[in-house]
Amino acid sequence: MKLDGQTKLQHFLQVLAFCLAIGTLQFGFQPDKPYGPPMVYSLLIGTSIWAIIDLGREFFPSSRETGWPQGIWGIGIVLLGIVGGYFIGNFTGDLICRSFNLYPPGPPPDKASDLRNSILITAMAGVAGSYYFYSANKSRYLEQKMGEARKHANEARLKLLETQLEPHMLFNTLANLRALIGVDPVRAQGMLDHMIAYLRATLNASRSTTHTLQSEFDRLRDYLELMAIRMGPRLAYALDLPEDLAALPVPALLLQPLVENSIQHGLEPKVGGGRIAVSARREGARLLLEVTDTGVGPSPGSPPPGQGFGMSQVRERLATLYGADAQMDFGTGPDGGARTLLRLPLAG
């Protein structure tokens, strides 16, 4: 049994407030009687019922998941709490009132009438209080289950996105390899060796949703080396990763679709090729990842190149992982090519 002290304290304070309200109402209906005794009885009966029900339910194994005993014990503990709390509260209340002379002087009150009122108030207040805590506990349990369901759905969605991304990259690379085999078998063999090493590293990365930024840049270097064999001097690249950011977690294979997009739509259509730069930097509480190229860049009037499969995958993964806390901007770069900028929360 593991008690949540903060939650129990909140329940206890709520019960105290409820008992004070009941004691005050009793006094309001019987202003000719003193204020002390009904308040003492109300507090002691109410807190006794609370202790039996709210603390007692923690001893039932069936309450570990839902927070409330299952089956007949769910009702039984309420009845036990009301009956037990009534007798315990009455006994201790009478003892305190006698010890501190809280009873009014004069003839004793109508015990039969007081007993009926006391039982009726205890039963109504006990049932109402128990239903309130049961409803609050059930609401909290359902919210927790909904949170878990959302988390599992997001994880499944991320895995689906990754499984779509990896074949996409593999088919593109194999298509490049096929083209190179016919014109330069030696370079094709070197490219195949790089591809095997790259796929081995990618397979390890794909087994987790995130990896370090250093691992992400290592995979980019493998991929760019692979592409450099095919494009030769038409492709130059630079990777800039500050040492203090290397251990930050990022979604696996996040930047590769951006680099692939720069090569496919920016550098390959350009006769002289160009240069790709990938950098990471910190901006306040955010991590900025930037991919720029000196290719042909976005053309006015043409369909936006940032809406392709790989770029859409990146957007969807960011939205699933970070929601509105992550941003992705695509546009013309400072040297006329394309520029993609990702802003991620550092805590993620």
Side-chain angles (χ1 to χ4, degrees), residues 242-246 248 280-289 346:
E243 187 174 350
D244 62 321
L245 301 179
L248 290 176
R281 62 183 184 276
R282 187 192 302 267
E283 185 180 81
R286 288 180 173 271
L287 171 66
L288 268 62
L289 302 174
L346 274 173

Side-chain angles (χ1 to χ4, degrees), residues 261-272:
N261 187 69
S262 287
I263 293 175
Q264 185 176 356
H265 300 286
L267 301 186
E268 284 188 333
K270 192 174 182 179
V271 176

Side-chain angles (χ1 to χ4, degrees), residues 12 20 47 75 100 102 117 135 137 164 200 223 238 257 276:
F12 179 69
L20 289 172
T47 53
I75 299 175
F100 292 93
L102 297 180
N117 292 337
S135 300
N137 182 81
Q164 292 173 340
R200 184 178 293 115
Y223 179 75
I276 293 176

Side-chain angles (χ1 to χ4, degrees), residues 11-347:
H11 291 176
F12 179 69
L13 295 176
Q14 288 172 334
V15 168
L16 285 182
F18 188 51
C19 294
L20 289 172
I22 291 177
T24 303
L25 281 176
Q26 282 184 273
F27 176 72
F29 283 104
Q30 296 175 318
D32 55 318
K33 294 184 178 180
Y35 183 74
M39 189 58 66
V40 171
Y41 277 94
S42 178
L43 288 173
L44 291 174
I45 293 175
T47 53
S48 298
I49 294 175
W50 165 79
I52 294 173
I53 297 177
D54 205 27
L55 299 179
R57 65 189 172 94
E58 302 291 344
F59 289 92
F60 290 87
S62 62
S63 69
R64 288 174 185 166
E65 181 180 0
T66 62
W68 201 270
Q70 301 299 302
I72 190 66
W73 283 110
I75 299 175
I77 194 170
V78 174
L79 296 177
L80 178 65
I82 292 174
V83 174
Y86 174 78
F87 285 106
I88 294 173
N90 267 301
F91 175 79
T92 53
D94 183 63
L95 188 65
I96 291 176
C97 288
R98 291 184 186 279
S99 300
F100 292 93
N101 295 319
L102 297 180
Y103 289 128
D110 183 357
K111 288 190 176 181
S113 174
D114 282 354
L115 181 62
R116 287 195 303 271
N117 292 337
S118 178
I119 291 176
L120 182 62
I121 292 172
T122 300
M124 293 178 62
V127 171
S130 298
Y131 181 75
Y132 168 77
F133 285 118
Y134 171 79
S135 300
N137 182 81
K138 187 175 182 179
S139 175
R140 188 164 49 249
Y141 169 72
L142 292 177
E143 287 179 0
Q144 178 185 350
K145 284 298 179 185
M146 288 175 62
E148 292 176 0
R150 280 195 293 267
K151 180 182 177 183
H152 292 157
N154 284 341
E155 290 176 352
R157 179 178 170 78
L158 282 173
K159 280 299 175 188
L160 177 62
L161 292 171
E162 289 173 10
T163 54
Q164 292 173 340
L165 183 61
E166 289 158 12
H168 175 74
M169 182 279 302
L170 181 60
F171 293 148
N172 281 351
T173 307
L174 287 175
N176 293 330
L177 180 63
R178 181 179 182 280
L180 193 60
I181 286 175
V183 297
D184 194 340
V186 176
R187 290 173 64 195
Q189 184 169 353
M191 186 177 185
L192 184 60
D193 292 340
H194 276 287
M195 189 176 75
I196 291 172
Y198 174 77
L199 290 177
R200 184 178 293 115
T202 301
L203 179 62
N204 293 331
S206 66
R207 289 171 180 163
S208 61
T209 304
T210 62
H211 62 183
T212 65
L213 196 54
Q214 181 66 63
S215 297
E216 183 70 12
F217 271 65
D218 290 343
R219 299 291 78 74
L220 280 183
R221 181 174 286 102
D222 291 336
Y223 179 75
L224 287 166
E225 284 293 330
L226 199 59
M227 292 298 102
I229 293 176
R230 183 172 63 86
M231 297 182 63
R234 294 178 61 239
L235 173 62
Y237 69 88
L239 303 176
D240 180 18
L241 174 61
E243 187 174 350
D244 62 321
L245 301 179
L248 290 176
V250 293
L253 307 177
L254 179 68
L255 295 176
Q256 182 192 299
L258 308 182
V259 173
E260 193 174 352
N261 187 69
S262 287
I263 293 175
Q264 185 176 356
H265 300 286
L267 301 186
E268 284 188 333
K270 192 174 182 179
V271 176
R275 183 173 185 272
I276 293 176
V278 183
S279 64
R281 62 183 184 276
R282 187 192 302 267
E283 185 180 81
R286 288 180 173 271
L287 171 66
L288 268 62
L289 302 174
E290 185 175 27
V291 178
T292 60
D293 64 70
T294 59
V296 296
S299 303
S302 63
Q307 301 297 325
F309 175 81
M311 301 289 276
S312 298
Q313 289 281 316
V314 173
R315 284 194 181 89
E316 289 190 40
R317 293 174 71 194
L318 292 179
T320 303
L321 275 172
Y322 305 107
D325 291 336
Q327 296 175 342
M328 175 177 172
D329 297 320
F330 177 82
T332 303
D335 299 323
R339 173 177 178 263
T340 306
L341 184 63
L342 305 182
R343 291 184 174 87
L344 313 180
L346 274 173

